[in-house]
Amino acid sequence: MLRALRARGGPAGRRAIDLGCGTGRDTLPMLAAGWHVLAIDAEPAAIAGLEAAVPAAWRPRLVTRLACFERAHLPPADLVNASFSLITVERLPVLADLVRRIHAALTPGGRFAGQLLGSRDGWVAAGRPVVGLDPAGLLALLRDFRLERVEEEEADTVTPRGRAKHWHLWHVVARKISSSSRS
Ligand SMILES: C[S@@+](CC[C@H](N)C(=O)[O-])C[C@H]1O[C@@H](n2cnc3c(N)ncnc32)[C@H](O)[C@@H]1O
C-alpha cells in the first residue's frame, strides 16, 4: 500500500478507498499523507476502532462506511486499497465483479493495492469457500490493469488459536490503464 501511496503525489489525485479497513492500519498512514479516505468495513468494531484512532485534525478527510464491499458504492478514487480483505471473498464471479467495480471507480492512472489468495493456500486445500488464484487466474482477474508489482508469498504460520496455516498470497499493485473493456 505504501508503495502505491508514494507513487501518486501532488495536490490532485489524493482520494482513496480502503476496502476492509479494519481499525485503520492503512487508512491512518493515508490520512497522515494528506489523502481523503473512504474507509469501508463490515465490522462495527473495526469502524469504531478506526474512528477512535483518528486525530481530530484528520477527521474532515475521513468518511467511514459500515458496509460489505461487495455491495458498497465505490465513488471515483485515485487509489483503492484492500489489505488482506479480498482474501475472504467466497466466489470468483463475486471477486471478478468487485475488481470490475474497483477498475470503474479508479481515475485514469489510479492504482489498486492489496492481496489476493493463491491456489496453494491452506484454506483452498481445506475446502473453505475462498478464491485461490493460480498465475493465469490472477492475470485474468486483473487483465484490465497494468501490473506494477506482483509478489508471491508462501509461508507456514500458526494462527492465534494454535492451528497450522499455510499462506499462499499474491501481493499486488496494479494501475488502471484504460476504461474497462468489459461489458
Ligand atoms: C484481516 S483484516 C485486515 C484489516 C486491514 N485492512 C489491515 O490490513 O489491517 C480484514 C478486514 O476486512 C473486513 N472485511 C472482510 N470481508 C469484508 C466484506 N465483505 N466487506 C467489508 N469488510 C470486510 C473485516 O471486517 C476486517 O476488518
Side-chain angles (χ1 to χ4, degrees), residues 22-24 28 43-54:
T23 54
L28 293 169
E43 282 295 328
I47 296 292
L50 169 59
E51 290 181 341
V54 176

Side-chain angles (χ1 to χ4, degrees), residues 92-107:
L92 182 57
V94 175
L95 183 60
D97 181 64
L98 180 55
V99 169
R100 184 191 57 73
R101 291 193 301 112
I102 290 170
H103 188 277
L106 284 170
T107 52

Side-chain angles (χ1 to χ4, degrees), residues 18-26 40-44 46 65 67-71 81-89 98 115:
D18 196 4
L19 297 176
C21 58
T23 54
R25 190 167 61 98
D26 292 338
I40 299 174
D41 203 290
E43 282 295 328
R65 190 150 300 147
C68 286
F69 45 61
E70 290 92 337
R71 288 183 287 281
N81 182 64
S83 285
F84 300 97
S85 54
L86 304 191
I87 61 175
T88 56
V89 174
L98 180 55
Q115 283 74 27

